[in-house]
Amino acid sequence: MAEKMSGADAQAERTRKAGAFDIRNFIGMLIGIFGVVLLIASIFDSAADIAKADGVRVNLWAGAGMVVTAIVFFAWARLRPVVVPEDTP
Amino acid sequence: MTVLAAEGALRLDTNWVDYLLIGVYFAFVIGIGVLARRSVSSSIDFFLSGRSLPAWVTGLAFISANLGAVEIIGMSANGANYGIPTVHYFWVGAVPAMLFLGVVMMPFYYGSKVRSVPEFMRRRFGTGAHLVNALSFAIAQLLIAGINLYLLANIVEIILGWPLWVSLIVAAAIVLTYTSLGGLSAAIYNEVLQFFVIVAALLPLTLIGLHKVGWWGGLKEKVAASAGGAEQLSSWPGQALTGFDSPFWSVVGIVLGLGFVLSFGYWTTNFVEVQRAMASSSISAAQRAPIIGAFPKMFVPFIVIFPGMIAAVLVNEISEPKNNGGSPDYNNALLYLIRDLLPNGMLGVAIAGLLASFMAGMAANISAFNTVFSYDLWETYVVKDRPDGYYLAVGRAATVGATVIAIFTATFAASYSNIMNYLQTLFGFFNAPLFATFILGMFWKRMTATAGWTGLVAGTTAAILVGIASQDALGGLSQGWVGLSGQGASFVAAGAAFVVDIIVSVLVTLVTKPREESELRGLVYSLTPKMDFHDDNEGALAWYQKPNILAGVGVVIVVGLNIIFW
């Protein structure tokens, strides 16, 4: 993945890359933003909106579900970080 | 596949919240492309993600690349039309082949260090078979990318009211931006992201739909009362799907035609899929990619087919013509359900999910095309032996070229959608005999180079002949000599391709000279030392990381699902 680098530079580069480019953080961020927007939208749900979905507050429940999913992804990325092997060619 | 709707009937009532959500999603898509660019420093980085991705990422990308427009719209349409039997496309027509690819075939692809499926063909059988495979694959990818793009633009026109050409160019520009910047990594990371957005869109839709019909009990009752009856609730024998009169031949057609020939041909040799697994970080991760992908694949029917079935009983535009002998617009079943059930907010997520799925398909076609074009056509036959950076530049140029061609193909599809359907069937015929050639070549060391290409050509010809003899598989070209139509015709065509390929390959092998055994190490089972396929970290893997055990669990679950929905 990474070119050969030496010493502290390589170390810093690796940590930065693995951290910034962990797809799990991306998924967590996107689904999290979706969830928060839906939760805010759910405050303004009209009676017609709720009736449309058969009385279920879709934005509220889906938003909450997405926020929880986002937290799971962040936690997973935090607990099992990407380990870049020392001997990467 | 055509999507026709009365103008305005399907225009979704979007507001700024929906556009905000769609906008956020596209910002992430481009952002991933820009970030992935940093890790591209060689052609292997660009075309195969430097072979460095973890198995769950490549596994999700593996199914996401296939979760495009045809799958989401087409399978929900089948769900609305046929009901539960549609699950065969997943539980019979995909999962077994994916498990087989992981357990049996992936070691050859990954272990031989080839960079593409056609390249394996070249190493095993030489130029003839390679040219047939590489050219038909590259052209088919351009065609399918165009169809995906057209479907995307068409849906955007229907639901948002944007003119077709605007969404064609916007969607193409977005896909081009991230695939040409970040190569396969950007495509794969986006596919993983797309998978979750698609689930975020379809899972709530399915749950609300189920809530409205009265959960599984209510759905069963209403579907059984609709045209098509209770047959729509059990997967076997699936006669409505195959169009066969006899239940026995219907089961045979599904198991052998769909489950064996069509699906093994598609999943185990299609480079769009295999490329994703090849980007894995080790041989066991590459094996695990399709196996991990098989698990979500088993459950995709619940968020694709179920909404279709629900739409067929809840949406008047579908249920009325269906029950009164009309011809309902099944392809729009999912869109109607979204229109009827989702409020602003969730509506935006649903639209983002649909767009995500359509772009996933197109980006997958383009990233597979540029690899085959650069390595298998340009480097092999046109300009050889240049430094690596040259082929990276060729890859980027091929991406631009493919996108431009896809826009033209999409414009063509807009006016001649029937022709596109038949062309797609025709290219499917090139796929049909591939599995036979690969599996023979991998396990029979004597099989010769001449047998490789003659088998492919004979198999494809056999499939085309069946297509011509059928009622409608190839449109105006079909003569109707035999009473085969619809899915049944493609099952039989694929079966003919497989059998003819095997027979011709065996006969030709017996009269031609086999290759030197020393050249076939890593390509043929009996000539490859066990060590070549061995993963150094095998001992450190947990049980759930061992490909064979994981595949065994997959078999048990998929058999269980088949029994539950018998």
Side-chain angles (χ1 to χ4, degrees), chain B residues 23-109:
Chain B
V24 168
Y25 170 63
F26 281 108
F28 270 75
V29 168
I30 300 289
I32 285 181
V34 173
L35 280 172
R37 183 186 166 83
R38 292 192 196 159
S39 61
V40 175
S41 53
S42 71
S43 73
I44 282 287
D45 286 342
F46 187 76
F47 294 121
L48 286 175
S49 301
R51 298 192 203 262
S52 62
L53 301 178
W56 72 270
V57 167
T58 49
L60 284 178
F62 192 94
I63 58 159
S64 199
N66 177 257
L67 203 57
V70 179
E71 177 102 346
I72 300 262
I73 299 289
M75 289 302 156
S76 57
N78 279 338
N81 193 352
Y82 306 115
I84 292 286
T86 314
V87 297
H88 292 314
Y89 287 103
F90 297 82
W91 298 342
V92 175
V95 171
M98 291 167 74
L99 299 176
F100 184 85
L101 170 67
V103 172
V104 179
M105 292 173 76
M106 194 47 77
F108 293 96
Y109 288 141

Side-chain angles (χ1 to χ4, degrees), chain A residues 1 3 16-17 20-24 26-27 29-31 33-34 37-38 41 45 49 52-56 58-59 62 66 73 76 80, chain B residues 17 20-21 24-25 28 32 35-36 38 41 45 52 56-57 189 192-193 196-197 200 208 211-212 339-346 349:
Chain A
M1 196 162 89
E3 295 284 288
R16 192 184 61 75
K17 256 190 184 163
F21 208 66
D22 190 330
I23 188 67
R24 292 170 294 185
F26 265 84
I27 298 167
M29 258 152 56
L30 179 65
I31 301 291
I33 294 175
F34 275 12
V37 173
L38 288 188
D45 274 350
D49 278 337
K52 191 180 181 186
D54 196 30
V56 182
V58 187
N59 285 339
M66 287 177 202
F73 271 100
W76 181 22
R80 301 271 302 265
Chain B
V17 178
L20 172 72
L21 288 161
V24 168
Y25 170 63
F28 270 75
I32 285 181
L35 280 172
R38 292 192 196 159
S41 53
D45 286 342
S52 62
W56 72 270
V57 167
Y189 282 136
V192 175
L193 188 69
F196 290 102
V197 174
I208 300 158
H211 184 267
K212 189 155 186 180
R339 178 199 67 180
D340 284 358
L341 293 182
L342 297 184
N344 290 113
M346 196 51 223
V349 176

Side-chain angles (χ1 to χ4, degrees), chain B residues 215-232:
Chain B
W215 301 104
W216 179 229
L219 181 64
K220 274 208 296 201
E221 205 176 288
K222 291 191 175 69
V223 167
S226 73
E231 232 182 83
Q232 299 174 85

Side-chain angles (χ1 to χ4, degrees), chain B residues 509-520:
Chain B
T509 293
L510 295 178
V511 296
T512 46
K513 195 172 154 291
R515 298 184 58 187
E516 286 296 326
E517 295 195 353
S518 59
E519 293 171 1
L520 298 177

Side-chain angles (χ1 to χ4, degrees), chain B residues 89 108 164 167 186 243 265 270 310 314 325 376 506 510 537 539 556 564:
Chain B
Y89 287 103
F108 293 96
L164 196 70
S167 27
N270 190 327
I310 295 167
L314 279 189
D376 288 289
V506 170
L510 295 178
N537 299 319
V556 171
I564 294 173

